[in-house]
Amino acid sequence: MGDRHGIADVSLGNASDYLDEMGPSWVAGAIAAGPASLASLITAGASYDYALLWVVVLSALAGALSQYLAMRLGLLTERGIVGVVEDHLGETWAWILVADVVIASGVAQLVIMKTVAGVSATITGLPATAWGVVWALVLALGLAGRGYRFLELAAKGLVAFVVVAFVASLAVVPIDAGAAAAGLVPSLPANSALVAAGILGGAVHITLVTMHSYTMRARGWTSDDYGLATFDVGVSMLGAFGVFSVATFLVAASVLSDPSLGTIGAAQALGPLVGANAQWLFLLGLGGAAVSTLGANTIVPPFVVADKLGWGTDVGDPRYRGLLAAVALLSAPGAFIGGQVLGQLVLVLALGTVGTPFAIAVVLYLLNSGAVPEANSTLANLGGLALLAVTGTLAANFVASLFAGGLAPLAAVVLVFAVLVALATLGLLVAFVRDGNAGASV
């Protein structure tokens, strides 16, 4: 049976009302529009000029599709994804999903904190280590003290600010319109596959897929809010995230030529190239993106762990509140990590990317099973399978590139994690076929 809910539920008449009510997908957008995505976009623009603009546009479309599928599962079950997995696939699969999410988001939390502290230090002149402690306390007090709605309001405000900042910086940078138009034609320059994978991996990520059912539960959304939830995904991922990605990429492609600059280095380089206005707009946009990502990422591990343990997933449950505060405070050591943040952001993206195919496979399995009252349409399933193929390819590219660079300890950890997740994904596909669902709606 195809789904009776769909984008047609969103009309111009209720769009103005939806603008006031939207929110959960903006929290996901806050993670997507973060330092790792920035690093990939800057590297792509500085290395290959405008040639990968089509990948940037594709990433916004893919990110919106993955959020739409996650939204369907959350609304049609009206539960958190871990609980649904445990009921319909079993406890082992639920623990695999929890471990996948906690590892990917936990490592990301430390590196994102390093980025936030570094940007704060660049803007203020105060030590990055001190900023790490300050931001950890702000997270603990804000999130554990005021709960999800505080985060959602902050995410909407910060993402909107980030989009404005990067569009404004774009306005003071010379853009080659002809070259940009040519970049919309799909092509992959030599040695650009990994960078393209990084751009797509920032938009289609395990944390974004798994957190969405919990943020919608926090808002009390049900299947009756399908139109609003669809509008929310479209405006945040296709709109805000898409504009952020395109603007950042075009700035890098227009004036930067050193792909090793990294995020903060790129902002500092803009000053002598095109003026202090562009430098400060870009730096402030980077700061807003890093802070919004840090806050949104903090809630992901507590959501899935609390759900698996049968706790509440809001601050009304003191156990969840304590878990949220602990994750926030444990972010502080990230500011003390040495080394170049650009390479660490690539590692974070690698961990998230190799864990993403399993999460998408879980969502597709459940959307074509007895977990939901309405199975996916053929179009939704085809889109989901395309996402699975894309994310699987991204994961393979990341692992291959790390292996080719020599199996250092961190690369070895990623490799082991990738093998375990790949085995889990294959096991899930076998279970899907065994249960007789392989032909559902496709």
Side-chain angles (χ1 to χ4, degrees):
M1 177 174 62
D3 54 275
R4 62 182 174 85
H5 295 99
I7 296 178
D9 292 333
V10 182
S11 66
L12 293 176
N14 53 26
S16 60
D17 295 332
Y18 285 171
L19 287 172
D20 294 329
E21 296 297 324
M22 63 184 181
S25 196
W26 286 78
V27 180
I31 295 179
S37 291
L38 271 167
S40 296
L41 292 165
I42 290 168
T43 301
S47 302
Y48 305 104
D49 296 326
Y50 298 94
L52 295 178
L53 180 57
W54 68 275
V55 179
V56 178
V57 175
L58 178 63
S59 73
L61 295 170
L65 176 58
S66 66
Q67 286 304 109
Y68 175 76
L69 293 172
M71 177 210 82
R72 275 186 55 76
L73 181 63
L75 287 185
L76 295 178
T77 61
E78 298 182 9
R79 298 184 59 195
I81 188 173
V82 171
V84 178
V85 169
E86 184 164 11
D87 285 351
H88 293 273
L89 290 170
E91 187 172 14
T92 299
W93 291 107
W95 275 119
I96 292 173
L97 181 61
V98 170
D100 194 0
V101 173
V102 169
I103 291 171
S105 58
V107 173
Q109 187 76 1
L110 294 174
V111 180
I112 294 168
M113 174 59 87
K114 178 179 179 178
T115 306
V116 171
V119 174
S120 300
T122 301
I123 293 174
T124 65
L126 298 175
T129 51
W131 274 112
V133 175
V134 169
W135 281 116
L137 290 172
V138 169
L139 283 177
L141 294 173
L143 296 179
R146 300 186 60 185
Y148 168 76
R149 289 309 297 268
F150 167 76
L151 172 65
E152 185 182 283
L153 289 171
K156 286 196 283 188
L158 284 170
V159 171
F161 169 76
V162 167
V163 171
V164 170
F166 282 110
V167 170
S169 65
L170 183 63
V172 294
V173 168
I175 303 297
D176 186 335
L184 292 172
V185 179
S187 66
L188 279 177
N191 303 316
S192 66
L194 185 60
V195 177
I199 295 172
L200 283 165
V204 185
H205 198 274
I206 184 172
T207 54
L208 311 184
V209 174
T210 53
M211 73 183 297
H212 206 42
S213 59
Y214 298 100
T215 53
M216 289 190 299
R217 284 185 71 200
R219 284 295 301 273
W221 285 3
T222 68
S223 57
D224 292 335
D225 298 295
Y226 202 97
L228 170 57
T230 303
F231 182 84
D232 190 38
V233 169
V235 173
S236 66
M237 294 302 293
L238 278 180
F241 176 72
V243 170
F244 151 83
S245 299
V246 170
T248 305
F249 174 82
L250 288 177
V251 169
S254 299
V255 295
L256 298 177
S257 57
D258 183 358
S260 67
L261 284 170
T263 50
I264 298 174
Q268 294 172 329
L270 287 175
L273 289 173
V274 291
N277 288 337
Q279 175 184 346
W280 279 102
L281 285 169
F282 197 88
L283 189 60
L284 289 172
L286 170 61
V291 171
S292 65
T293 302
L294 183 68
N297 193 74
T298 303
I299 69 173
V300 178
F303 270 150
V304 296
V305 172
D307 191 13
K308 181 65 191 71
L309 296 176
W311 300 352
T313 53
D314 59 60
V315 293
D317 188 323
R319 297 168 297 183
Y320 171 81
R321 184 194 294 262
L323 189 59
L324 189 57
V327 172
L329 294 174
L330 288 172
S331 306
F336 295 82
I337 297 174
Q340 292 296 317
V341 73
L342 185 61
Q344 293 162 356
L345 286 170
V346 171
L347 178 63
V348 164
L349 203 56
L351 275 171
T353 300
V354 298
T356 300
F358 177 69
I360 292 176
V362 166
V363 170
L364 284 175
Y365 183 106
L366 294 173
L367 284 174
N368 289 281
S369 71
V372 296
E374 302 172 10
N376 258 1
S377 66
T378 299
L379 183 60
N381 275 335
L382 289 174
L385 290 173
L387 273 179
L388 188 58
V390 168
T391 54
T393 302
L394 299 185
N397 283 339
F398 267 122
V399 172
S401 66
L402 289 171
F403 190 80
L407 210 56
L410 287 177
V413 171
V414 175
L415 179 61
V416 171
F417 181 64
V419 170
L420 293 175
V421 171
L423 290 174
T425 305
L426 289 174
L428 186 62
L429 293 175
V430 169
F432 184 70
V433 174
R434 182 194 63 210
D435 292 344
N437 292 319
S441 300
V442 179

